[in-house]
Amino acid sequence: MKRRVAILISGRGSNMRSLIEAAADKDYPAEIVLVLSNREDAAGLAVARGLGVPARAVPNKDYAADRKAHERAIQRELEAAGTEIVCLAGYMRLLTDYLVGKWQGRMLNIHPSLLPLFPGLDTHKRVLEAGAGQHGCTVHVVTEKMDQGPIILQAKVPVLNDDTEATLAARVLAEEHVAYPRALAEYIKRLPRPPKS
Ligand code: GRF
């Protein structure tokens, strides 16, 4: 039985697409049951629908500054879809302990750096400024500490002399698209099966 995975996005959703495409293989251990975005204008919503996956916005702006109310609305959607695992894929909102707690050990994220190096935003720019020789991406389990959860898998790329932020980002992104589906499949192998109901 495939595990039921929901993906949270905020933008273009290219990692989301790579997960949906991987999951279309009958031998892949997950199916993507839902895509949610905190922004109505996320381009990834239309991409998901085009690939046959239900996709909805739960705009945080509808909840003003009440983060928890927004997360409760997300949680309702996740539960209604029978979600077992949540993948953050370019979800640009910090989560509170409420949602992280609900999905302990069952929420993954992809981050564009070799964690623990360069947590946070603007990683490609910061890598170039630091003069690092290599860069990459990390898929990790989400915990209350941002970008610090247990690492499932990393992929490395070289930083070239003539790299700009854009060329480096593109090289990393190509690796992300391979790494995320692989990491999710590996992680699922380690998860206990849900009890039979
Ligand atoms: C990716 O670089 C991901 O690592 C980061 O946000 C970006 C999302 O890109 N968390 P996309 O929306 O998946 O194309």
Side-chain angles (χ1 to χ4, degrees), residues 33-115:
V33 296
L34 179 65
V35 169
L36 294 177
S37 168
N38 64 312
R39 297 178 59 117
E40 276 162 334
D41 61 356
L45 286 172
V47 176
R49 290 182 196 122
L51 293 166
V53 177
R56 277 189 281 289
V58 182
N60 54 274
K61 67 171 167 49
D62 293 356
Y63 296 87
D66 192 346
R67 277 180 187 270
K68 215 166 249 172
H70 178 236
E71 291 189 355
R72 276 197 296 268
I74 290 177
Q75 178 65 15
R76 279 194 294 276
E77 294 275 357
L78 294 174
E79 283 176 10
T83 305
E84 297 175 87
I85 300 166
V86 176
C87 286
L88 306 181
Y91 187 71
M92 299 304 288
R93 232 172 130 72
L94 286 180
L95 297 176
T96 74
D97 291 352
Y98 168 75
L99 207 60
V100 174
K102 289 272 181 206
W103 293 95
Q104 235 170 29
R106 298 196 175 238
M107 181 182 270
L108 310 187
N109 181 43
I110 187 155
H111 180 77
S113 81
L114 297 171
L115 291 172

Side-chain angles (χ1 to χ4, degrees), residues 11-16 89-90 92 109-112 173 176:
R12 71 188 157 182
S14 70
N15 278 290
M16 171 210 77
M92 299 304 288
N109 181 43
I110 187 155
H111 180 77
L173 192 63
E176 293 185 36

